[in-house]
Amino acid sequence: MIYFDRVSKVYADDSVALEDVSFSVEPGEFISVVGHSGAGKTTLVKMLLAEEHPTSGSVFFESINIHEIPLHRINDLRRKIGTVFQDFRLLPNKTAYENIAFAMEAAGRSEEDIHSDVPHVLELVDLGDKINNFPAQLSGGEQQRVAIARAIVNQPDVIVADEPTGNLDPVNTFEIVQILKKINDLGTTIILTTHNKGVIDSLKKRVITMDRGKVIRDDREGKYIL
Amino acid sequence: MDWTTAKRIFRAGMLDFSRNAFVSVASILVMTVTLFVVGVTIFAGVILNATLDELRDKADINVYFTTMAPEERMLELKSSLEALPEVESVEYISRDEALAAFRERHKDDQLTLQALEELEDNPLSAVLNVRARDISQYEAIAAFLNKEQEALTAGEAPIIDKINFYNEQHRQALARLEVITDSAQRLGFVVIAILILTSIAISFNTLRLAIYSSRDEIQVMRLVGAGQFYIRAPFMVEGTLYGLISGIITLLLFYPLTWWLGGATQGFFGGVNIFGYYVSNFPLFFLIIAGTGMLLGATASFLAVRRYLKI
């Protein structure tokens, strides 16, 4: 489904973010990418979202080379990938409802779909009573749940969660991981980057370990080993 | 673009406008200043042109006939003047018309009117007022009339009493007027261009800053799969709205301002009452001021968003 083929990324100041990274992701997998800060986890995610271009190598999504897609067509790819970020990245001037509705509107969904799906997906992340709250009126955990609701509302093939628990306390961290597991159980592929040992060890799923831009381990049922 | 998308874009633009109230008010104020400069420029142009026209209109050649001159010969001269390519118009004022105008002018002056009644015959002579197409052409017309006068006085009783034209003083005044009108127009154009360009640059920058504050949002919109047009269009709606509201504020400000200055401009610059001009040309003003504002807002937003869409 997703294939990184010898991907390297070297920035203008000669710092190496990724070096000869190759791995593939099958449909329905739950993959955790772990590593210290600066190991290249976020660059990897940016490659998949076509936010960054590799210096060499290719990234394929369903046999399409992501970096050959023209800029004006890239949104078609991004609609197939739901994204969740450490800093939530909600639209500050839109309510929880409007943030999720925006992703549906951008995908060209009908008003009827939006009216029925948005409250439903907010119920799923247990935020049915915060539908008209702005991000500033929500806690960190609640904001992250809105972000997850936004990521899943268009039923994407993959969800990429880049350090989604980085800014959260242990209780909220546990809840977010449980939600991601539930989404995975329903068949959606999950790619999770984190450096939270507790999260990785509790998941018992595939773990790719990175260090200084390289993949140093790829374990089927891995643990946090660094 | 279908109707649903259009509705969503418009609604998003309106919502952003109201929820970013501070940025909206600041942008509107700056754009109002820009449009005010555009409006003042139009008024300045109108006053300048009217003043120059007035000055040009005052330049003419008057041919005064003798009281005995037969009308057909005066009209003959009128026709030959009209045939000249340099002549814009020739106005013939008969003795009776001259008398009527004189009475009208002195209707409150009983003494003068009584003195007129004492006279047995109309003492006023007929006049031809000759206007050239351009100030520089009066010399050629003067030369023609000089020749005509000589020909007309040869042999027969003269029909021309006097021609007020072309002495050195008159010529110098006309030449100076020509230089002034040319430089005023040129200088006016340069000042207007600088003022308008500066104001537009300030407005552009304000909208760029307003959109700069939304750059993270634009990035998020891209990452959740929104197309470039779908992100850009609400910003353009917002920019257009800034322009429209600024335009309306500017037009409202001009109403009391032109009313207050109307009398003064009429008295000082001769002829044009800017309040009357503003009211009678309001649809045109609306089109120019609000149109400029909306175009400026939409274009500035379009360009400002572009740089953040490159992901």
Side-chain angles (χ1 to χ4, degrees), chain B residues 94-107:
Chain B
S94 69
R95 294 182 64 203
D96 292 341
E97 284 165 350
L99 185 63
F102 184 87
R103 278 187 203 281
E104 179 60 28
R105 214 165 39 239
H106 295 90
K107 63 181 178 202

PDB file of all heavy atoms in Angstrom, chain B residues 94-107:
ATOM      1  N   SER B  94     -26.843  89.407 -32.170  1.00  0.00           N
ATOM      2  CA  SER B  94     -27.400  90.544 -32.928  1.00  0.00           C
ATOM      3  C   SER B  94     -27.559  91.748 -32.002  1.00  0.00           C
ATOM      4  O   SER B  94     -27.436  91.623 -30.779  1.00  0.00           O
ATOM      5  CB  SER B  94     -28.748  90.148 -33.513  1.00  0.00           C
ATOM      6  OG  SER B  94     -29.669  90.001 -32.457  1.00  0.00           O
ATOM      7  N   ARG B  95     -27.846  92.857 -32.565  1.00  0.00           N
ATOM      8  CA  ARG B  95     -27.989  94.097 -31.771  1.00  0.00           C
ATOM      9  C   ARG B  95     -29.124  93.931 -30.762  1.00  0.00           C
ATOM     10  O   ARG B  95     -28.990  94.342 -29.612  1.00  0.00           O
ATOM     11  CB  ARG B  95     -28.283  95.280 -32.695  1.00  0.00           C
ATOM     12  CG  ARG B  95     -27.120  95.603 -33.626  1.00  0.00           C
ATOM     13  CD  ARG B  95     -27.435  96.810 -34.476  1.00  0.00           C
ATOM     14  NE  ARG B  95     -27.587  97.997 -33.644  1.00  0.00           N
ATOM     15  CZ  ARG B  95     -28.253  99.082 -33.988  1.00  0.00           C
ATOM     16  NH1 ARG B  95     -28.870  99.124 -35.168  1.00  0.00           N
ATOM     17  NH2 ARG B  95     -28.344 100.117 -33.189  1.00  0.00           N
ATOM     18  N   ASP B  96     -30.224  93.313 -31.198  1.00  0.00           N
ATOM     19  CA  ASP B  96     -31.365  93.138 -30.286  1.00  0.00           C
ATOM     20  C   ASP B  96     -31.010  92.213 -29.123  1.00  0.00           C
ATOM     21  O   ASP B  96     -31.365  92.471 -27.970  1.00  0.00           O
ATOM     22  CB  ASP B  96     -32.575  92.543 -31.024  1.00  0.00           C
ATOM     23  CG  ASP B  96     -33.128  93.554 -32.024  1.00  0.00           C
ATOM     24  OD1 ASP B  96     -32.813  94.762 -31.861  1.00  0.00           O
ATOM     25  OD2 ASP B  96     -33.836  93.131 -32.961  1.00  0.00           O
ATOM     26  N   GLU B  97     -30.292  91.136 -29.477  1.00  0.00           N
ATOM     27  CA  GLU B  97     -29.885  90.209 -28.410  1.00  0.00           C
ATOM     28  C   GLU B  97     -28.923  90.889 -27.433  1.00  0.00           C
ATOM     29  O   GLU B  97     -28.997  90.676 -26.216  1.00  0.00           O
ATOM     30  CB  GLU B  97     -29.196  88.972 -29.008  1.00  0.00           C
ATOM     31  CG  GLU B  97     -30.163  88.000 -29.640  1.00  0.00           C
ATOM     32  CD  GLU B  97     -29.480  86.970 -30.542  1.00  0.00           C
ATOM     33  OE1 GLU B  97     -28.265  87.135 -30.823  1.00  0.00           O
ATOM     34  OE2 GLU B  97     -30.172  86.044 -30.968  1.00  0.00           O
ATOM     35  N   ALA B  98     -28.033  91.701 -27.980  1.00  0.00           N
ATOM     36  CA  ALA B  98     -27.067  92.424 -27.131  1.00  0.00           C
ATOM     37  C   ALA B  98     -27.826  93.349 -26.179  1.00  0.00           C
ATOM     38  O   ALA B  98     -27.502  93.450 -24.992  1.00  0.00           O
ATOM     39  CB  ALA B  98     -26.088  93.206 -27.998  1.00  0.00           C
ATOM     40  N   LEU B  99     -28.874  93.980 -26.730  1.00  0.00           N
ATOM     41  CA  LEU B  99     -29.671  94.911 -25.912  1.00  0.00           C
ATOM     42  C   LEU B  99     -30.413  94.146 -24.803  1.00  0.00           C
ATOM     43  O   LEU B  99     -30.417  94.574 -23.638  1.00  0.00           O
ATOM     44  CB  LEU B  99     -30.684  95.654 -26.800  1.00  0.00           C
ATOM     45  CG  LEU B  99     -31.500  96.732 -26.109  1.00  0.00           C
ATOM     46  CD1 LEU B  99     -30.601  97.865 -25.601  1.00  0.00           C
ATOM     47  CD2 LEU B  99     -32.579  97.283 -27.042  1.00  0.00           C
ATOM     48  N   ALA B 100     -30.991  93.006 -25.186  1.00  0.00           N
ATOM     49  CA  ALA B 100     -31.733  92.201 -24.196  1.00  0.00           C
ATOM     50  C   ALA B 100     -30.789  91.739 -23.087  1.00  0.00           C
ATOM     51  O   ALA B 100     -31.139  91.796 -21.896  1.00  0.00           O
ATOM     52  CB  ALA B 100     -32.377  91.005 -24.884  1.00  0.00           C
ATOM     53  N   ALA B 101     -29.590  91.320 -23.490  1.00  0.00           N
ATOM     54  CA  ALA B 101     -28.620  90.859 -22.497  1.00  0.00           C
ATOM     55  C   ALA B 101     -28.210  92.002 -21.579  1.00  0.00           C
ATOM     56  O   ALA B 101     -28.044  91.823 -20.366  1.00  0.00           O
ATOM     57  CB  ALA B 101     -27.395  90.270 -23.189  1.00  0.00           C
ATOM     58  N   PHE B 102     -28.073  93.174 -22.194  1.00  0.00           N
ATOM     59  CA  PHE B 102     -27.680  94.360 -21.414  1.00  0.00           C
ATOM     60  C   PHE B 102     -28.758  94.685 -20.384  1.00  0.00           C
ATOM     61  O   PHE B 102     -28.461  94.952 -19.217  1.00  0.00           O
ATOM     62  CB  PHE B 102     -27.464  95.544 -22.366  1.00  0.00           C
ATOM     63  CG  PHE B 102     -26.967  96.790 -21.661  1.00  0.00           C
ATOM     64  CD1 PHE B 102     -25.603  96.988 -21.456  1.00  0.00           C
ATOM     65  CD2 PHE B 102     -27.861  97.756 -21.223  1.00  0.00           C
ATOM     66  CE1 PHE B 102     -25.146  98.121 -20.810  1.00  0.00           C
ATOM     67  CE2 PHE B 102     -27.405  98.894 -20.572  1.00  0.00           C
ATOM     68  CZ  PHE B 102     -26.042  99.092 -20.369  1.00  0.00           C
ATOM     69  N   ARG B 103     -30.034  94.660 -20.836  1.00  0.00           N
ATOM     70  CA  ARG B 103     -31.157  94.940 -19.915  1.00  0.00           C
ATOM     71  C   ARG B 103     -31.180  93.933 -18.764  1.00  0.00           C
ATOM     72  O   ARG B 103     -31.411  94.290 -17.614  1.00  0.00           O
ATOM     73  CB  ARG B 103     -32.491  94.840 -20.679  1.00  0.00           C
ATOM     74  CG  ARG B 103     -32.847  96.083 -21.463  1.00  0.00           C
ATOM     75  CD  ARG B 103     -34.273  95.907 -22.017  1.00  0.00           C
ATOM     76  NE  ARG B 103     -34.502  96.742 -23.163  1.00  0.00           N
ATOM     77  CZ  ARG B 103     -34.774  98.039 -23.087  1.00  0.00           C
ATOM     78  NH1 ARG B 103     -34.856  98.630 -21.910  1.00  0.00           N
ATOM     79  NH2 ARG B 103     -34.978  98.747 -24.175  1.00  0.00           N
ATOM     80  N   GLU B 104     -30.978  92.665 -19.118  1.00  0.00           N
ATOM     81  CA  GLU B 104     -31.003  91.606 -18.103  1.00  0.00           C
ATOM     82  C   GLU B 104     -29.897  91.835 -17.060  1.00  0.00           C
ATOM     83  O   GLU B 104     -30.112  91.694 -15.854  1.00  0.00           O
ATOM     84  CB  GLU B 104     -30.819  90.245 -18.800  1.00  0.00           C
ATOM     85  CG  GLU B 104     -30.798  89.031 -17.895  1.00  0.00           C
ATOM     86  CD  GLU B 104     -32.077  88.857 -17.084  1.00  0.00           C
ATOM     87  OE1 GLU B 104     -33.144  89.304 -17.545  1.00  0.00           O
ATOM     88  OE2 GLU B 104     -31.981  88.313 -15.956  1.00  0.00           O
ATOM     89  N   ARG B 105     -28.722  92.175 -17.595  1.00  0.00           N
ATOM     90  CA  ARG B 105     -27.570  92.379 -16.705  1.00  0.00           C
ATOM     91  C   ARG B 105     -27.801  93.551 -15.747  1.00  0.00           C
ATOM     92  O   ARG B 105     -27.322  93.553 -14.623  1.00  0.00           O
ATOM     93  CB  ARG B 105     -26.333  92.618 -17.570  1.00  0.00           C
ATOM     94  CG  ARG B 105     -25.090  92.045 -16.958  1.00  0.00           C
ATOM     95  CD  ARG B 105     -23.893  91.914 -17.890  1.00  0.00           C
ATOM     96  NE  ARG B 105     -23.703  93.007 -18.831  1.00  0.00           N
ATOM     97  CZ  ARG B 105     -23.694  92.848 -20.165  1.00  0.00           C
ATOM     98  NH1 ARG B 105     -23.925  91.662 -20.685  1.00  0.00           N
ATOM     99  NH2 ARG B 105     -23.488  93.874 -20.961  1.00  0.00           N
ATOM    100  N   HIS B 106     -28.514  94.565 -16.237  1.00  0.00           N
ATOM    101  CA  HIS B 106     -28.713  95.782 -15.426  1.00  0.00           C
ATOM    102  C   HIS B 106     -30.140  95.914 -14.917  1.00  0.00           C
ATOM    103  O   HIS B 106     -30.624  97.028 -14.682  1.00  0.00           O
ATOM    104  CB  HIS B 106     -28.333  97.032 -16.236  1.00  0.00           C
ATOM    105  CG  HIS B 106     -26.884  97.083 -16.583  1.00  0.00           C
ATOM    106  ND1 HIS B 106     -26.365  96.545 -17.747  1.00  0.00           N
ATOM    107  CD2 HIS B 106     -25.813  97.553 -15.893  1.00  0.00           C
ATOM    108  CE1 HIS B 106     -25.068  96.715 -17.771  1.00  0.00           C
ATOM    109  NE2 HIS B 106     -24.696  97.324 -16.639  1.00  0.00           N
ATOM    110  N   LYS B 107     -30.827  94.780 -14.722  1.00  0.00           N
ATOM    111  CA  LYS B 107     -32.249  94.875 -14.369  1.00  0.00           C
ATOM    112  C   LYS B 107     -32.471  95.538 -12.999  1.00  0.00           C
ATOM    113  O   LYS B 107     -33.526  96.080 -12.726  1.00  0.00           O
ATOM    114  CB  LYS B 107     -32.909  93.480 -14.404  1.00  0.00           C
ATOM    115  CG  LYS B 107     -32.351  92.501 -13.421  1.00  0.00           C
ATOM    116  CD  LYS B 107     -33.061  91.180 -13.567  1.00  0.00           C
ATOM    117  CE  LYS B 107     -32.416  90.203 -12.579  1.00  0.00           C
ATOM    118  NZ  LYS B 107     -32.599  88.853 -12.905  1.00  0.00           N
TER     119      LYS B 107
END
